[in-house]
Amino acid sequence: MDVDLRLVRYFTVVAEYGNIGRAATSLHLAQPSLSRQIQRLEAQLGVRLFDRSPQGTSLTDAGQAFLPRARTLLREAEQAARTARAAVQSRAVTVGCAEGLIITACMQELRRRHPEGQVRTRHLDWRDTRALAEGRVDALVAYRPLPFTTDGFRVTKLHEEPRVLVTSVSHPLANEEAVSLRALSDEELVACVSTPVIWSTPKPVGDRPAPPQPAIDDSYEDKLELVATGHCVAIFPAGDRRAAVREDIALVPVINTDPCEVVLVTRADDPNPLLRSLEDVARTVLGTASRRENNELPIS
């Protein structure tokens, strides 16, 4: 039997989310397309894998039996692919970078140390959580919390960053030299489960009613519009400078709160020799750059 590994991966994602719609969003697929792919896999196997209802999807007995084997199959296939690539591409590495982070200086230094190597970067948005596990990148520089379990991965802490309040320039706290979380007691703060960003629940401003709560598919820019109009605030890592380019938004250092951690993540069994050098470069370059930038953080 020829089983399409792509369909197997789709099955594991639907099983993880228990909902076709959320799984389709994670996979960047249309929901009807994902449903058809699952039906193709069921036809190939000759069994029904999911029970479907308006509340979501649940695994059948066959699906529960297939899930652990499916995960093992995907891990072994990826390991086989990595072993093959390592045999002929031991001087190539692709480094993924989570949104909000800049790794240009790190990549330049890695290329300087290994002029014979092929060093590539790939910028990832917060929803592209499987790039490392799927082998589309060999390493990932990201903020904690990570949007995936770290079993089978090596996680190296690079540095810590303080946090900043991101708010409209008309907000009462916009001109403060620094604020504590106590100053935000009137805000209903909600931490993201897969990024270090904290957003507040939108609220009315003057005679303007509160807009709807942002949806999971809303972009970073969509949410930043709510900040600029004064309907909500956010707390970002200090190194995430994307909001600093806007004149209608102020950044205020936050004190008395835990810092954010920036980490380098690689697969624990990856034999690529460039990864050890990458770890040394990332510790040195990103750590130094972070300390310098945080010391120069402007006070809004």
Side-chain angles (χ1 to χ4, degrees), residues 14-15 17-21 50-59:
V14 175
Y17 282 94
N19 182 281
I20 286 282
F50 292 104
D51 286 325
R52 296 152 175 91
S53 71
Q55 288 72 40
T57 58
S58 59
L59 289 167

Side-chain angles (χ1 to χ4, degrees), residues 153-167:
F153 294 96
R154 174 181 171 86
V155 181
T156 303
K157 179 180 174 180
L158 299 178
H159 64 261
E160 293 183 342
E161 291 181 4
R163 300 176 187 259
V164 295
L165 173 67
V166 182
T167 185

Side-chain angles (χ1 to χ4, degrees), residues 46 53 61 102 118 128 141 145-146 150 163 236 256 262 268 299:
S53 71
D61 290 344
I102 298 175
Q118 299 178 19
D128 198 2
V141 180
L146 295 168
T150 57
R163 300 176 187 259
F236 280 19
N256 300 328
V262 177
I299 304 296

